Each structure stands twice: as structure tokens, then as C-alpha cells.
Amino acid sequence: MNLARFPRIRLGHLPTPLEPMENLSRHLAGPNGGPNLWIKRDDCTGLSTGGNKTRKLEYLMADARAQGADTVITQGATQSNHARQTAAAAAKLGFECHILLEDRTGYDDAAYTQSGNVLLDKLHGATVSRRPGGADMAAEMETLAAELRAKGRKPYVIPGGGSNAVGALGYVNAALELVAQAAEIGLRIDHVVHATGSAGTQAGLVAGLVALNSGIPVLGIGVRAPREKQEANVFALAEKVVAHLGLPGIVKPEHVVANCDYVGQGYGIPTEGMVAAVKLLAEQEGILLDPVYSGKGMAGMVDLIGKGHFKPGENVVFLHTGGAVGLFGYPEAFALPAEAG
Ligand SMILES: *Cc1c(COP(=O)(O)O)cnc(C)c1O
């Protein structure tokens, strides 16, 4: 595998830190001990408060530039972290940026519709427009692209979450980075756990870890689709990624595992487990998770630890995919105490 043959524009502060979570490991250990919990800080990629989309955008924006584009179009839910990081990357690289936001939750309060990621999309100078929940967002982007082309622009369309074979190369790169980092500190990684949505992160990670013959299994905690659909989406994309890498067929269905028991009522809708997980990491480790992805991912990991899914002494790495800016879109969810005095 030779990742360097794909065009890339550096946007992230890489490598991101790989840190032990000693307090959380101790807090969650049972009478027979528990797993050693680590965290891979992809919330610290640097671009406009960071997150996992930065790695994908390194390859996507390079592809856009290689194709002669001057404009990027993308889409996401109202509090999309992908939209925010795309807006920032476009600003830095001198592209015009158009963002279509789908109202997937039906929340219409000012915090949700204007603060958090939406505030930052606009600060980065993106043109933001909204679409109703359930709209065909891929078709909406194509319609906008045609309008912009008619005006003489050269648009490049980035799919939701930046999840295609080009964007997922960012997580092949993350797999190489993680395995090298672990080797350097003598850490035997037994599991990687992260929140999975549009599938690019898991597909790229699995592709990279399998290409390296690392033997490290990945568990995606779903935030939207049911398990079968999520695993099928990730597998289909992982197959495209390894073909793009010149290694067709190396990813097998058994390499793709998702657990979608922690979605709750739906995408972007808070769960008790998410609220508890966000508070737990904030209080135990001083780390901010997000309400839509990493909070639900961590809720899943915490619950699975309680159920003995990981053996005592195993090393489990939680990939923190970012998104804490989204907390400002959900101030009510956390029922925080009144101020003292
Ligand atoms: C997009 C996102 C994810 C999910 O990554 P996918 O590649 O879409 O599966 C996880 N966490 C955060 C914070 C995200 O913004």
C-alpha cells in the first residue's frame, strides 16, 4: 500500500495524541479489574476546533484542487461537524463553500439552529441553506451544482460526511498513524471503538488496519441506521477503499462490526446514556464529547464494559471523532445544576 501516491493537502495537526484514560479505567473497573482505556484524540486535529472530517478533507480538497474546482458543496444535518470543517478547509484554501443543512431532528430552537456548528459555518464564510428532513440531499447538491456551473463556477461535490473512497483515505492514514504510535510506546491494542455514521471513518480504518495485517478489530457504535444497514454501508465503502488502494478483496464481512443499540429515538436525539457519558468524560478526564456521535459512542463503550464485553487487562482505544462544538446546540439536554450562591 502506498498512500503517498494520492494527492493530499495537509490541514490537520497530525499525528493526534494517543493518551491513557487512567481515571475512567479505574472508575469503570469491576471487582476483577477492567480494560485499560485509551483515547485517540482526533478531536484535536486543529481545523476549526477539529474532528474526524479534517483527515478526510485532506484528500477531498486535494482532489477538488486537482480537478480544477473553485467551489465546494456539501451537506449534513443542522449541527453537522462535517459541514463546519469543510467550511474551514474551503476558507483556508480559497474555495467558495456552499452548505445544505437537512433538518433531521425537527428541533427549531435558536441554540440548535443558529449556535454551535451553524455559527462556525457562517463565520468561515460559507453560504448556508436549509432543506426539510428526508430531502434527497444528494439530488439537492446536484441541483445546486448545476446552478453554479451555469453561473461559471467550477463546483466539487463532497458527499455527506466526506464518506467516499477518496475521503476515507484519511482514515487509512489514521490507521497507519495509530499502529505506528502504538508500536512506539509498546502498546498492544486489542480493540478500537468509535462512533460510526456516514461510514467513511470505519471503512477507512478497517481498510488500513486490514491492509497492515494488524489483527486489530474495530467496533463501530452506530448513531443512525440499524446494525445490518450500517455494517452493509461500511463494508461496501471499505471494499471501494481497498480497491482504490490497489488491494481489492482484502476486507471481509467479518472485519466490519457495528453495534447500533445506542441510537435511541434517532439521529441527533439525545439519550440518557449519551448525557451520562458526556458528563462522565467531562468529570473524569476533562475531555469534551459531543451529543450526536462521540457521546453515544462512549455510552455504548461504557455499557459494553459493564457487560464484560472487554476482558480485564485488554487495551481498548476509543477514537474521539470530535464534535464538542455541537454541545452548544443542545444546552437543554444536560439539565445542569443552577449556580451556587
Ligand atoms: C461525522 C462524525 C462521526 C462519524 O464518522 P463517519 O465517518 O460519518 O461514520 C463521528 N463523530 C463525529 C463527531 C462526527 O462529526
mmCIF file with all atom_site columns, all heavy atoms in Angstrom, residues 163-187:
data_model
loop_
_atom_site.group_PDB
_atom_site.id
_atom_site.type_symbol
_atom_site.label_atom_id
_atom_site.label_alt_id
_atom_site.label_comp_id
_atom_site.label_asym_id
_atom_site.label_entity_id
_atom_site.label_seq_id
_atom_site.pdbx_PDB_ins_code
_atom_site.Cartn_x
_atom_site.Cartn_y
_atom_site.Cartn_z
_atom_site.occupancy
_atom_site.B_iso_or_equiv
_atom_site.pdbx_formal_charge
_atom_site.auth_seq_id
_atom_site.auth_comp_id
_atom_site.auth_asym_id
_atom_site.auth_atom_id
_atom_site.pdbx_PDB_model_num
ATOM 1   N N   . SER A 1 163 ? -17.783 10.943 3.043  1.00 0.00 ? 163 SER A N   1
ATOM 2   C CA  . SER A 1 163 ? -17.596 9.491  3.022  1.00 0.00 ? 163 SER A CA  1
ATOM 3   C C   . SER A 1 163 ? -17.697 8.905  1.624  1.00 0.00 ? 163 SER A C   1
ATOM 4   O O   . SER A 1 163 ? -18.776 8.502  1.171  1.00 0.00 ? 163 SER A O   1
ATOM 5   C CB  . SER A 1 163 ? -18.601 8.820  3.970  1.00 0.00 ? 163 SER A CB  1
ATOM 6   O OG  . SER A 1 163 ? -18.190 9.064  5.307  1.00 0.00 ? 163 SER A OG  1
ATOM 7   N N   . ASN A 1 164 ? -16.566 8.887  0.940  1.00 0.00 ? 164 ASN A N   1
ATOM 8   C CA  . ASN A 1 164 ? -16.407 8.111  -0.290 1.00 0.00 ? 164 ASN A CA  1
ATOM 9   C C   . ASN A 1 164 ? -14.991 7.556  -0.265 1.00 0.00 ? 164 ASN A C   1
ATOM 10  O O   . ASN A 1 164 ? -14.274 7.715  0.736  1.00 0.00 ? 164 ASN A O   1
ATOM 11  C CB  . ASN A 1 164 ? -16.693 8.973  -1.537 1.00 0.00 ? 164 ASN A CB  1
ATOM 12  C CG  . ASN A 1 164 ? -15.790 10.189 -1.622 1.00 0.00 ? 164 ASN A CG  1
ATOM 13  O OD1 . ASN A 1 164 ? -14.751 10.261 -0.958 1.00 0.00 ? 164 ASN A OD1 1
ATOM 14  N ND2 . ASN A 1 164 ? -16.187 11.159 -2.433 1.00 0.00 ? 164 ASN A ND2 1
ATOM 15  N N   . ALA A 1 165 ? -14.598 6.902  -1.356 1.00 0.00 ? 165 ALA A N   1
ATOM 16  C CA  . ALA A 1 165 ? -13.290 6.223  -1.340 1.00 0.00 ? 165 ALA A CA  1
ATOM 17  C C   . ALA A 1 165 ? -12.137 7.215  -1.206 1.00 0.00 ? 165 ALA A C   1
ATOM 18  O O   . ALA A 1 165 ? -11.088 6.876  -0.658 1.00 0.00 ? 165 ALA A O   1
ATOM 19  C CB  . ALA A 1 165 ? -13.125 5.380  -2.597 1.00 0.00 ? 165 ALA A CB  1
ATOM 20  N N   . VAL A 1 166 ? -12.338 8.455  -1.668 1.00 0.00 ? 166 VAL A N   1
ATOM 21  C CA  . VAL A 1 166 ? -11.269 9.458  -1.536 1.00 0.00 ? 166 VAL A CA  1
ATOM 22  C C   . VAL A 1 166 ? -11.194 9.944  -0.081 1.00 0.00 ? 166 VAL A C   1
ATOM 23  O O   . VAL A 1 166 ? -10.126 9.933  0.539  1.00 0.00 ? 166 VAL A O   1
ATOM 24  C CB  . VAL A 1 166 ? -11.517 10.641 -2.497 1.00 0.00 ? 166 VAL A CB  1
ATOM 25  C CG1 . VAL A 1 166 ? -10.507 11.759 -2.262 1.00 0.00 ? 166 VAL A CG1 1
ATOM 26  C CG2 . VAL A 1 166 ? -11.450 10.157 -3.943 1.00 0.00 ? 166 VAL A CG2 1
ATOM 27  N N   . GLY A 1 167 ? -12.328 10.351 0.476  1.00 0.00 ? 167 GLY A N   1
ATOM 28  C CA  . GLY A 1 167 ? -12.329 10.862 1.849  1.00 0.00 ? 167 GLY A CA  1
ATOM 29  C C   . GLY A 1 167 ? -11.867 9.824  2.858  1.00 0.00 ? 167 GLY A C   1
ATOM 30  O O   . GLY A 1 167 ? -11.118 10.142 3.807  1.00 0.00 ? 167 GLY A O   1
ATOM 31  N N   . ALA A 1 168 ? -12.265 8.580  2.650  1.00 0.00 ? 168 ALA A N   1
ATOM 32  C CA  . ALA A 1 168 ? -11.914 7.523  3.607  1.00 0.00 ? 168 ALA A CA  1
ATOM 33  C C   . ALA A 1 168 ? -10.416 7.260  3.654  1.00 0.00 ? 168 ALA A C   1
ATOM 34  O O   . ALA A 1 168 ? -9.919  6.673  4.618  1.00 0.00 ? 168 ALA A O   1
ATOM 35  C CB  . ALA A 1 168 ? -12.677 6.242  3.282  1.00 0.00 ? 168 ALA A CB  1
ATOM 36  N N   . LEU A 1 169 ? -9.668  7.727  2.634  1.00 0.00 ? 169 LEU A N   1
ATOM 37  C CA  . LEU A 1 169 ? -8.204  7.595  2.695  1.00 0.00 ? 169 LEU A CA  1
ATOM 38  C C   . LEU A 1 169 ? -7.656  8.283  3.946  1.00 0.00 ? 169 LEU A C   1
ATOM 39  O O   . LEU A 1 169 ? -6.621  7.885  4.476  1.00 0.00 ? 169 LEU A O   1
ATOM 40  C CB  . LEU A 1 169 ? -7.553  8.225  1.449  1.00 0.00 ? 169 LEU A CB  1
ATOM 41  C CG  . LEU A 1 169 ? -7.800  7.518  0.119  1.00 0.00 ? 169 LEU A CG  1
ATOM 42  C CD1 . LEU A 1 169 ? -7.157  8.317  -1.016 1.00 0.00 ? 169 LEU A CD1 1
ATOM 43  C CD2 . LEU A 1 169 ? -7.254  6.089  0.137  1.00 0.00 ? 169 LEU A CD2 1
ATOM 44  N N   . GLY A 1 170 ? -8.363  9.307  4.406  1.00 0.00 ? 170 GLY A N   1
ATOM 45  C CA  . GLY A 1 170 ? -7.931  9.978  5.634  1.00 0.00 ? 170 GLY A CA  1
ATOM 46  C C   . GLY A 1 170 ? -7.893  9.032  6.817  1.00 0.00 ? 170 GLY A C   1
ATOM 47  O O   . GLY A 1 170 ? -7.057  9.174  7.724  1.00 0.00 ? 170 GLY A O   1
ATOM 48  N N   . TYR A 1 171 ? -8.795  8.054  6.824  1.00 0.00 ? 171 TYR A N   1
ATOM 49  C CA  . TYR A 1 171 ? -8.789  7.084  7.933  1.00 0.00 ? 171 TYR A CA  1
ATOM 50  C C   . TYR A 1 171 ? -7.907  5.871  7.654  1.00 0.00 ? 171 TYR A C   1
ATOM 51  O O   . TYR A 1 171 ? -7.519  5.173  8.595  1.00 0.00 ? 171 TYR A O   1
ATOM 52  C CB  . TYR A 1 171 ? -10.208 6.769  8.421  1.00 0.00 ? 171 TYR A CB  1
ATOM 53  C CG  . TYR A 1 171 ? -10.469 7.813  9.487  1.00 0.00 ? 171 TYR A CG  1
ATOM 54  C CD1 . TYR A 1 171 ? -10.994 9.048  9.156  1.00 0.00 ? 171 TYR A CD1 1
ATOM 55  C CD2 . TYR A 1 171 ? -10.007 7.616  10.779 1.00 0.00 ? 171 TYR A CD2 1
ATOM 56  C CE1 . TYR A 1 171 ? -11.081 10.058 10.095 1.00 0.00 ? 171 TYR A CE1 1
ATOM 57  C CE2 . TYR A 1 171 ? -10.091 8.616  11.728 1.00 0.00 ? 171 TYR A CE2 1
ATOM 58  C CZ  . TYR A 1 171 ? -10.629 9.832  11.381 1.00 0.00 ? 171 TYR A CZ  1
ATOM 59  O OH  . TYR A 1 171 ? -10.674 10.823 12.316 1.00 0.00 ? 171 TYR A OH  1
ATOM 60  N N   . VAL A 1 172 ? -7.549  5.644  6.396  1.00 0.00 ? 172 VAL A N   1
ATOM 61  C CA  . VAL A 1 172 ? -6.460  4.690  6.143  1.00 0.00 ? 172 VAL A CA  1
ATOM 62  C C   . VAL A 1 172 ? -5.188  5.296  6.749  1.00 0.00 ? 172 VAL A C   1
ATOM 63  O O   . VAL A 1 172 ? -4.435  4.624  7.468  1.00 0.00 ? 172 VAL A O   1
ATOM 64  C CB  . VAL A 1 172 ? -6.284  4.453  4.627  1.00 0.00 ? 172 VAL A CB  1
ATOM 65  C CG1 . VAL A 1 172 ? -5.074  3.564  4.368  1.00 0.00 ? 172 VAL A CG1 1
ATOM 66  C CG2 . VAL A 1 172 ? -7.552  3.849  4.022  1.00 0.00 ? 172 VAL A CG2 1
ATOM 67  N N   . ASN A 1 173 ? -5.001  6.572  6.498  1.00 0.00 ? 173 ASN A N   1
ATOM 68  C CA  . ASN A 1 173 ? -3.844  7.269  7.063  1.00 0.00 ? 173 ASN A CA  1
ATOM 69  C C   . ASN A 1 173 ? -3.872  7.229  8.597  1.00 0.00 ? 173 ASN A C   1
ATOM 70  O O   . ASN A 1 173 ? -2.839  7.029  9.246  1.00 0.00 ? 173 ASN A O   1
ATOM 71  C CB  . ASN A 1 173 ? -3.837  8.713  6.554  1.00 0.00 ? 173 ASN A CB  1
ATOM 72  C CG  . ASN A 1 173 ? -2.565  9.445  6.916  1.00 0.00 ? 173 ASN A CG  1
ATOM 73  O OD1 . ASN A 1 173 ? -1.485  8.848  6.885  1.00 0.00 ? 173 ASN A OD1 1
ATOM 74  N ND2 . ASN A 1 173 ? -2.683  10.701 7.277  1.00 0.00 ? 173 ASN A ND2 1
ATOM 75  N N   . ALA A 1 174 ? -5.048  7.383  9.180  1.00 0.00 ? 174 ALA A N   1
ATOM 76  C CA  . ALA A 1 174 ? -5.165  7.323  10.648 1.00 0.00 ? 174 ALA A CA  1
ATOM 77  C C   . ALA A 1 174 ? -4.793  5.938  11.171 1.00 0.00 ? 174 ALA A C   1
ATOM 78  O O   . ALA A 1 174 ? -4.189  5.808  12.245 1.00 0.00 ? 174 ALA A O   1
ATOM 79  C CB  . ALA A 1 174 ? -6.590  7.680  11.078 1.00 0.00 ? 174 ALA A CB  1
ATOM 80  N N   . ALA A 1 175 ? -5.132  4.898  10.425 1.00 0.00 ? 175 ALA A N   1
ATOM 81  C CA  . ALA A 1 175 ? -4.775  3.531  10.841 1.00 0.00 ? 175 ALA A CA  1
ATOM 82  C C   . ALA A 1 175 ? -3.256  3.379  10.859 1.00 0.00 ? 175 ALA A C   1
ATOM 83  O O   . ALA A 1 175 ? -2.691  2.831  11.815 1.00 0.00 ? 175 ALA A O   1
ATOM 84  C CB  . ALA A 1 175 ? -5.414  2.503  9.898  1.00 0.00 ? 175 ALA A CB  1
ATOM 85  N N   . LEU A 1 176 ? -2.594  3.886  9.823  1.00 0.00 ? 176 LEU A N   1
ATOM 86  C CA  . LEU A 1 176 ? -1.124  3.812  9.781  1.00 0.00 ? 176 LEU A CA  1
ATOM 87  C C   . LEU A 1 176 ? -0.536  4.567  10.979 1.00 0.00 ? 176 LEU A C   1
ATOM 88  O O   . LEU A 1 176 ? 0.383   4.091  11.652 1.00 0.00 ? 176 LEU A O   1
ATOM 89  C CB  . LEU A 1 176 ? -0.573  4.446  8.490  1.00 0.00 ? 176 LEU A CB  1
ATOM 90  C CG  . LEU A 1 176 ? -1.045  3.895  7.149  1.00 0.00 ? 176 LEU A CG  1
ATOM 91  C CD1 . LEU A 1 176 ? -0.331  4.583  5.991  1.00 0.00 ? 176 LEU A CD1 1
ATOM 92  C CD2 . LEU A 1 176 ? -0.819  2.406  7.070  1.00 0.00 ? 176 LEU A CD2 1
ATOM 93  N N   . GLU A 1 177 ? -1.103  5.739  11.234 1.00 0.00 ? 177 GLU A N   1
ATOM 94  C CA  . GLU A 1 177 ? -0.619  6.587  12.330 1.00 0.00 ? 177 GLU A CA  1
ATOM 95  C C   . GLU A 1 177 ? -0.781  5.891  13.681 1.00 0.00 ? 177 GLU A C   1
ATOM 96  O O   . GLU A 1 177 ? 0.145   5.866  14.505 1.00 0.00 ? 177 GLU A O   1
ATOM 97  C CB  . GLU A 1 177 ? -1.411  7.901  12.288 1.00 0.00 ? 177 GLU A CB  1
ATOM 98  C CG  . GLU A 1 177 ? -1.010  8.919  13.323 1.00 0.00 ? 177 GLU A CG  1
ATOM 99  C CD  . GLU A 1 177 ? -1.887  10.176 13.204 1.00 0.00 ? 177 GLU A CD  1
ATOM 100 O OE1 . GLU A 1 177 ? -1.924  10.800 12.124 1.00 0.00 ? 177 GLU A OE1 1
ATOM 101 O OE2 . GLU A 1 177 ? -2.540  10.536 14.220 1.00 0.00 ? 177 GLU A OE2 1
ATOM 102 N N   . LEU A 1 178 ? -1.941  5.312  13.890 1.00 0.00 ? 178 LEU A N   1
ATOM 103 C CA  . LEU A 1 178 ? -2.250  4.677  15.181 1.00 0.00 ? 178 LEU A CA  1
ATOM 104 C C   . LEU A 1 178 ? -1.342  3.471  15.436 1.00 0.00 ? 178 LEU A C   1
ATOM 105 O O   . LEU A 1 178 ? -0.818  3.295  16.549 1.00 0.00 ? 178 LEU A O   1
ATOM 106 C CB  . LEU A 1 178 ? -3.719  4.252  15.201 1.00 0.00 ? 178 LEU A CB  1
ATOM 107 C CG  . LEU A 1 178 ? -4.216  3.538  16.453 1.00 0.00 ? 178 LEU A CG  1
ATOM 108 C CD1 . LEU A 1 178 ? -4.104  4.443  17.681 1.00 0.00 ? 178 LEU A CD1 1
ATOM 109 C CD2 . LEU A 1 178 ? -5.663  3.076  16.278 1.00 0.00 ? 178 LEU A CD2 1
ATOM 110 N N   . VAL A 1 179 ? -1.160  2.641  14.416 1.00 0.00 ? 179 VAL A N   1
ATOM 111 C CA  . VAL A 1 179 ? -0.336  1.435  14.584 1.00 0.00 ? 179 VAL A CA  1
ATOM 112 C C   . VAL A 1 179 ? 1.122   1.826  14.854 1.00 0.00 ? 179 VAL A C   1
ATOM 113 O O   . VAL A 1 179 ? 1.794   1.232  15.711 1.00 0.00 ? 179 VAL A O   1
ATOM 114 C CB  . VAL A 1 179 ? -0.494  0.521  13.348 1.00 0.00 ? 179 VAL A CB  1
ATOM 115 C CG1 . VAL A 1 179 ? 0.558   -0.581 13.336 1.00 0.00 ? 179 VAL A CG1 1
ATOM 116 C CG2 . VAL A 1 179 ? -1.898  -0.093 13.334 1.00 0.00 ? 179 VAL A CG2 1
ATOM 117 N N   . ALA A 1 180 ? 1.608   2.857  14.169 1.00 0.00 ? 180 ALA A N   1
ATOM 118 C CA  . ALA A 1 180 ? 2.987   3.318  14.400 1.00 0.00 ? 180 ALA A CA  1
ATOM 119 C C   . ALA A 1 180 ? 3.143   3.882  15.813 1.00 0.00 ? 180 ALA A C   1
ATOM 120 O O   . ALA A 1 180 ? 4.124   3.604  16.510 1.00 0.00 ? 180 ALA A O   1
ATOM 121 C CB  . ALA A 1 180 ? 3.361   4.373  13.354 1.00 0.00 ? 180 ALA A CB  1
ATOM 122 N N   . GLN A 1 181 ? 2.147   4.667  16.225 1.00 0.00 ? 181 GLN A N   1
ATOM 123 C CA  . GLN A 1 181 ? 2.171   5.273  17.569 1.00 0.00 ? 181 GLN A CA  1
ATOM 124 C C   . GLN A 1 181 ? 2.174   4.198  18.660 1.00 0.00 ? 181 GLN A C   1
ATOM 125 O O   . GLN A 1 181 ? 2.909   4.289  19.635 1.00 0.00 ? 181 GLN A O   1
ATOM 126 C CB  . GLN A 1 181 ? 0.877   6.075  17.733 1.00 0.00 ? 181 GLN A CB  1
ATOM 127 C CG  . GLN A 1 181 ? 1.047   7.500  18.026 1.00 0.00 ? 181 GLN A CG  1
ATOM 128 C CD  . GLN A 1 181 ? -0.288  8.235  17.907 1.00 0.00 ? 181 GLN A CD  1
ATOM 129 O OE1 . GLN A 1 181 ? -1.334  7.684  17.556 1.00 0.00 ? 181 GLN A OE1 1
ATOM 130 N NE2 . GLN A 1 181 ? -0.232  9.519  18.209 1.00 0.00 ? 181 GLN A NE2 1
ATOM 131 N N   . ALA A 1 182 ? 1.332   3.198  18.471 1.00 0.00 ? 182 ALA A N   1
ATOM 132 C CA  . ALA A 1 182 ? 1.234   2.120  19.460 1.00 0.00 ? 182 ALA A CA  1
ATOM 133 C C   . ALA A 1 182 ? 2.554   1.353  19.536 1.00 0.00 ? 182 ALA A C   1
ATOM 134 O O   . ALA A 1 182 ? 3.019   0.997  20.623 1.00 0.00 ? 182 ALA A O   1
ATOM 135 C CB  . ALA A 1 182 ? 0.080   1.187  19.107 1.00 0.00 ? 182 ALA A CB  1
ATOM 136 N N   . ALA A 1 183 ? 3.170   1.129  18.369 1.00 0.00 ? 183 ALA A N   1
ATOM 137 C CA  . ALA A 1 183 ? 4.453   0.405  18.348 1.00 0.00 ? 183 ALA A CA  1
ATOM 138 C C   . ALA A 1 183 ? 5.510   1.196  19.111 1.00 0.00 ? 183 ALA A C   1
ATOM 139 O O   . ALA A 1 183 ? 6.300   0.634  19.868 1.00 0.00 ? 183 ALA A O   1
ATOM 140 C CB  . ALA A 1 183 ? 4.897   0.168  16.904 1.00 0.00 ? 183 ALA A CB  1
ATOM 141 N N   . GLU A 1 184 ? 5.487   2.499  18.930 1.00 0.00 ? 184 GLU A N   1
ATOM 142 C CA  . GLU A 1 184 ? 6.492   3.348  19.567 1.00 0.00 ? 184 GLU A CA  1
ATOM 143 C C   . GLU A 1 184 ? 6.421   3.271  21.088 1.00 0.00 ? 184 GLU A C   1
ATOM 144 O O   . GLU A 1 184 ? 7.448   3.273  21.766 1.00 0.00 ? 184 GLU A O   1
ATOM 145 C CB  . GLU A 1 184 ? 6.270   4.779  19.096 1.00 0.00 ? 184 GLU A CB  1
ATOM 146 C CG  . GLU A 1 184 ? 7.445   5.684  19.262 1.00 0.00 ? 184 GLU A CG  1
ATOM 147 C CD  . GLU A 1 184 ? 7.238   6.953  18.434 1.00 0.00 ? 184 GLU A CD  1
ATOM 148 O OE1 . GLU A 1 184 ? 7.047   6.827  17.202 1.00 0.00 ? 184 GLU A OE1 1
ATOM 149 O OE2 . GLU A 1 184 ? 7.226   8.023  19.029 1.00 0.00 ? 184 GLU A OE2 1
ATOM 150 N N   . ILE A 1 185 ? 5.218   3.219  21.630 1.00 0.00 ? 185 ILE A N   1
ATOM 151 C CA  . ILE A 1 185 ? 5.091   3.187  23.094 1.00 0.00 ? 185 ILE A CA  1
ATOM 152 C C   . ILE A 1 185 ? 4.890   1.761  23.616 1.00 0.00 ? 185 ILE A C   1
ATOM 153 O O   . ILE A 1 185 ? 4.674   1.564  24.808 1.00 0.00 ? 185 ILE A O   1
ATOM 154 C CB  . ILE A 1 185 ? 3.961   4.119  23.601 1.00 0.00 ? 185 ILE A CB  1
ATOM 155 C CG1 . ILE A 1 185 ? 2.601   3.726  23.014 1.00 0.00 ? 185 ILE A CG1 1
ATOM 156 C CG2 . ILE A 1 185 ? 4.285   5.569  23.285 1.00 0.00 ? 185 ILE A CG2 1
ATOM 157 C CD1 . ILE A 1 185 ? 1.437   4.513  23.621 1.00 0.00 ? 185 ILE A CD1 1
ATOM 158 N N   . GLY A 1 186 ? 4.983   0.780  22.737 1.00 0.00 ? 186 GLY A N   1
ATOM 159 C CA  . GLY A 1 186 ? 4.862   -0.613 23.171 1.00 0.00 ? 186 GLY A CA  1
ATOM 160 C C   . GLY A 1 186 ? 3.459   -0.975 23.638 1.00 0.00 ? 186 GLY A C   1
ATOM 161 O O   . GLY A 1 186 ? 3.285   -1.782 24.553 1.00 0.00 ? 186 GLY A O   1
ATOM 162 N N   . LEU A 1 187 ? 2.455   -0.388 22.993 1.00 0.00 ? 187 LEU A N   1
ATOM 163 C CA  . LEU A 1 187 ? 1.058   -0.664 23.376 1.00 0.00 ? 187 LEU A CA  1
ATOM 164 C C   . LEU A 1 187 ? 0.463   -1.704 22.433 1.00 0.00 ? 187 LEU A C   1
ATOM 165 O O   . LEU A 1 187 ? 0.394   -1.483 21.212 1.00 0.00 ? 187 LEU A O   1
ATOM 166 C CB  . LEU A 1 187 ? 0.237   0.630  23.313 1.00 0.00 ? 187 LEU A CB  1
ATOM 167 C CG  . LEU A 1 187 ? -1.253  0.483  23.616 1.00 0.00 ? 187 LEU A CG  1
ATOM 168 C CD1 . LEU A 1 187 ? -1.488  0.152  25.088 1.00 0.00 ? 187 LEU A CD1 1
ATOM 169 C CD2 . LEU A 1 187 ? -2.014  1.760  23.235 1.00 0.00 ? 187 LEU A CD2 1
#
